[in-house]
Amino acid sequence: MSTREELLKHLWVELIDLHLDADGLRRIAAAAQSQRADAPFADAMHAMQRLLASGVDIRDLCLIQRFAAYEAVFQTLYAIGDPGVDGDDVFGLYEELLMADPRGRDGQVS
């Protein structure tokens, strides 16, 4: 990314609006079938599968997921800027995110 504007556009297109794709949710639900119970976020995949099976409108789920993505991006950008990271060492943090789950459960809650 060479400019702030390009970065923000990238975040909207690739991380926020991406969740308007109902096929993505269908793929998540379908993937739940083959996930190990201890796989990262397997519980969320199974929850998505149950919601779709119960007849919840997939568009509503997309909108909720999109809002959650916006909040995650906003809070991440805010945390990077204030309070910030010592020495601005934020490169490669994505590689450590899943392992940094304070529960030690790779993102699973249940």
Side-chain angles (χ1 to χ4, degrees), residues 35-80:
Q35 287 297 314
R36 297 182 337 262
D38 64 343
F41 290 94
D43 54 349
M45 290 180 175
H46 289 286
M48 186 63 67
Q49 184 181 43
R50 290 188 304 273
L51 286 166
L52 290 173
S54 74
V56 172
D57 186 319
I58 197 164
R59 174 77 175 161
D60 290 341
L61 292 174
C62 287
L63 293 172
I64 291 167
Q65 188 169 302
R66 180 177 178 260
F67 175 69
Y70 169 82
E71 282 293 312
V73 168
F74 178 89
Q75 294 299 333
T76 300
L77 293 174
Y78 183 83
I80 289 171

Side-chain angles (χ1 to χ4, degrees), residues 2-101:
S2 58
T3 67
R4 293 168 60 99
E5 293 78 18
E6 289 171 337
L7 173 60
L8 292 172
K9 181 179 179 183
H10 171 79
L11 294 173
W12 270 101
V13 172
E14 298 297 329
L15 300 177
I16 298 170
D17 283 345
L18 171 77
H19 295 289
L20 292 174
D21 176 20
D23 288 335
L25 289 183
R26 289 185 189 97
R27 284 190 296 275
I28 290 170
Q33 300 287 347
S34 62
Q35 287 297 314
R36 297 182 337 262
D38 64 343
F41 290 94
D43 54 349
M45 290 180 175
H46 289 286
M48 186 63 67
Q49 184 181 43
R50 290 188 304 273
L51 286 166
L52 290 173
S54 74
V56 172
D57 186 319
I58 197 164
R59 174 77 175 161
D60 290 341
L61 292 174
C62 287
L63 293 172
I64 291 167
Q65 188 169 302
R66 180 177 178 260
F67 175 69
Y70 169 82
E71 282 293 312
V73 168
F74 178 89
Q75 294 299 333
T76 300
L77 293 174
Y78 183 83
I80 289 171
D82 183 17
V85 178
D86 290 340
D88 292 330
D89 184 19
V90 296
F91 298 105
L93 281 176
Y94 66 92
E95 296 170 338
E96 301 171 32
L97 181 60
L98 190 59
M99 295 179 297
D101 178 358

